[in-house]
């Protein structure tokens, strides 16, 4: 389909890439001599050149058979459980514990039209998808919280100054550099940065610590603690993971069902196999979500409830 990126993960209306579109990207891949650009084309559109493209009627979107083991069980089901439902939080203790997110935000993607001083190498841009969102949604009050200074150190250790400048810009933070670039773009034709010197626009904000403090000031305006888990409509990943583990260990099951790790989501559970993903996605996780996201009296949530939308989304995937 034409949707890609995590900001589309909850979409239910899809537009499809058909044969001509895919052939265009496959031809671009074939004619490109740069390995990194080829990798980018494949990662973005999932297509590369094949001799089949010489057939005028060839349309892989309609003519290829989906591999259920790798594409569905170890692909879609794995991704949805790990990254959408976030059933991957460990039970370890220590400074490296993965925390549940205490708020959601439409995180902006990397913008390649940025000022030269804000350019980040392609192999380091994962920080905009997996770094900043994880660091900044960690609770700073209540259960499972960590200190602001700890978040400050994690960001400092995991970023460079251009990364911080770029993040501040795409987040439109109230900083001299961001204001100067935006004013320049409003008055110039396109992203022409000639004549705009970094040392003239950064003001007093020139070090990593300056940018991190500004980013954390923005963070302090967002929810600081995890959602109240007594409200079953809250999408708390830790509550969902606990519910799945309870179903695995406590549910009465027919004898022909094979076992799955009772500590699912823990690092010690090891790599989940395709057969285990099939059971998790068709038995254990759906039961856990129905229990977790219903109303307190056991009835179905109202049609306008966010819990019902999440449940419908999950069930549509697992029934496919």
């Amino acid at each position: 389909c034409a949707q890609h990126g995590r900001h589309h993960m909850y979409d239910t209306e899809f537009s499809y890439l058909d044969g001509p579109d895919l052939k265009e990207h496959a031809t671009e891949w074939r004619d490109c001599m740069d390995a990194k650009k080829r990798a980018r084309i494949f990662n973005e559109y999932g297509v590369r050149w094949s001799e089949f493209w010489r057939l005028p009627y060839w349309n892989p979107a309609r003519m290829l058979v989906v591999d259920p083991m790798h594409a569905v069980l170890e692909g879609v089901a794995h991704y949805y459980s790990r990254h959408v439902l976030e059933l991957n939080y460990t039970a370890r203790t220590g400074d490296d514990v993965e925390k549940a997110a205490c708020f959601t935000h439409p995180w902006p993607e990397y913008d390649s039209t940025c000022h030269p001083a804000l350019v980040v190498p392609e192999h380091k841009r994962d920080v905009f998808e997996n770094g900043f969102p994880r660091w900044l949604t960690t609770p700073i009050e209540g259960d499972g919280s960590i200190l602001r200074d700890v978040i400050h150190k994690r960001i400092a250790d995991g970023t460079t100054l251009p990364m911080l400048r770029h993040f501040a810009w795409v987040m439109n933070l109230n900083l001299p550099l961001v204001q100067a670039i935006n004013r320049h773009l409003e008055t110039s034709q396109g992203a022409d940065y000639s004549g705009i010197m970094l040392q003239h626009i950064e003001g007093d904000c020139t070090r990593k610590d300056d940018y991190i403090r500004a980013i954390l000031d923005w963070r302090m305006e967002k929810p600081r603690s995890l959602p109240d888990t007594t409200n079953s409509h809250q999408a708390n990943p830790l509550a969902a993971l606990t519910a799945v583990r309870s179903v695995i260990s406590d549910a009465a099951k027919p004898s022909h069902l094979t076992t799955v790790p009772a500590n699912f989501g823990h690092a010690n559970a090891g790599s989940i196999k395709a057969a285990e993903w099939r059971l998790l996605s068709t038995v254990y996780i759906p039961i856990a979500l129905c229990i977790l996201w219903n109303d307190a009296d056991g009835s179905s949530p109202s049609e306008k409830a966010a819990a019902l939308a999440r449940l419908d989304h999950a069930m549509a995937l697992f029934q496919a």
Side-chain angles (χ1 to χ4, degrees):
C1 67
Q3 283 87 344
H4 60 276
R6 290 191 177 186
H7 56 290
H8 286 297
M9 67 169 59
Y10 293 105
D11 289 356
T12 54
E13 298 293 332
F14 300 101
S15 59
Y16 294 94
L17 285 173
D18 218 334
D21 298 317
L22 294 173
K23 186 174 183 178
E24 178 184 347
H25 299 307
T27 304
E28 182 184 2
W29 184 95
R30 180 196 64 190
D31 297 339
C32 179
M33 296 295 105
D34 186 281
K36 290 184 178 180
K37 290 183 179 179
R38 280 189 166 185
R40 179 189 60 77
I41 294 170
F42 180 75
N43 290 335
E44 189 164 350
Y45 301 105
V47 66
R48 56 169 67 98
W49 178 257
S50 163
E51 290 302 307
F52 281 111
W53 285 113
R54 299 188 186 279
L55 300 172
Y57 56 82
W58 176 242
N59 186 348
R62 298 178 182 272
M63 298 177 180
L64 287 181
V65 177
V66 174
D67 173 7
M69 180 177 131
H70 295 97
V72 178
L73 297 175
E74 293 184 347
V76 177
H78 174 276
Y79 183 90
Y80 189 86
S81 298
R82 296 298 198 198
H83 299 290
V84 181
L85 299 178
E86 298 184 274
L87 304 178
N88 59 344
Y89 295 100
T90 71
R92 295 173 295 166
T93 57
D95 190 51
D96 63 340
V97 176
E98 291 185 275
K99 303 293 182 180
C102 52
F103 69 95
T104 59
H105 184 79
W107 303 102
E109 297 180 342
Y110 180 84
D111 190 341
S112 59
T113 64
C114 62
H115 186 283
L118 279 61
V119 171
V120 177
E122 189 169 350
H123 67 281
K124 294 184 177 181
R125 293 176 188 173
D126 182 65
V127 69
F128 294 94
E129 183 176 356
N130 297 317
F132 287 113
R134 185 178 73 252
W135 296 323
L136 296 177
T137 58
T138 301
I140 52 180
E141 290 181 0
D143 294 338
S145 63
I146 61 176
L147 297 175
R148 171 174 170 151
D149 289 345
V150 175
I151 301 177
H152 187 118
K153 184 178 185 303
R154 290 181 179 178
I155 297 176
D157 292 342
T159 61
T160 62
L161 187 53
M163 290 179 184
L164 294 168
R165 290 171 178 154
H166 193 106
F167 186 73
W169 178 53
V170 295
M171 291 291 290
N172 199 29
L173 299 184
N174 186 25
L175 292 173
L177 176 140
V178 177
Q179 296 170 353
I181 291 179
N182 288 340
R183 285 196 303 269
H184 179 79
L185 291 177
E186 289 174 0
T187 57
S188 64
Q189 297 296 324
D192 178 13
Y193 295 103
S194 58
I196 179 169
M197 306 300 293
L198 185 66
Q199 60 267 31
H200 297 157
I201 62 174
E202 276 198 300
D204 296 331
C205 187
T206 59
R207 303 175 304 153
K208 286 180 64 173
D209 281 352
D210 298 330
Y211 284 95
I212 295 174
R213 280 195 292 269
I215 291 170
L216 290 179
D217 286 343
W218 171 89
R219 166 66 185 91
M220 299 301 287
E221 298 174 358
K222 301 296 178 182
R224 302 187 182 190
S225 58
L226 291 173
D228 182 4
T229 56
T230 60
N231 181 352
S232 62
H233 291 176
Q234 296 289 351
N236 185 338
L238 291 179
L241 180 57
T242 301
V244 173
R245 288 175 175 172
S246 297
V247 172
I248 292 173
S249 60
D250 301 336
K253 302 175 283 289
S255 58
H256 69 270
L257 282 187
T258 55
T259 60
V260 297
N263 60 342
F264 169 68
H266 194 286
N268 292 340
S271 177
I272 305 299
K273 307 298 187 293
E276 294 169 335
W277 277 119
R278 181 176 65 85
L279 288 175
L280 284 165
S281 60
T282 58
V283 179
Y284 299 110
I285 294 178
I287 292 174
L289 296 185
C290 288
I291 295 172
L292 182 69
W293 287 344
N294 64 7
D295 273 353
D297 60 0
S299 61
S300 299
S302 66
E303 292 186 2
K304 296 182 179 180
L308 183 60
R310 292 195 295 269
L311 187 59
D312 286 345
H313 190 271
M315 293 302 109
L317 170 66
F318 293 143
Q319 290 176 29

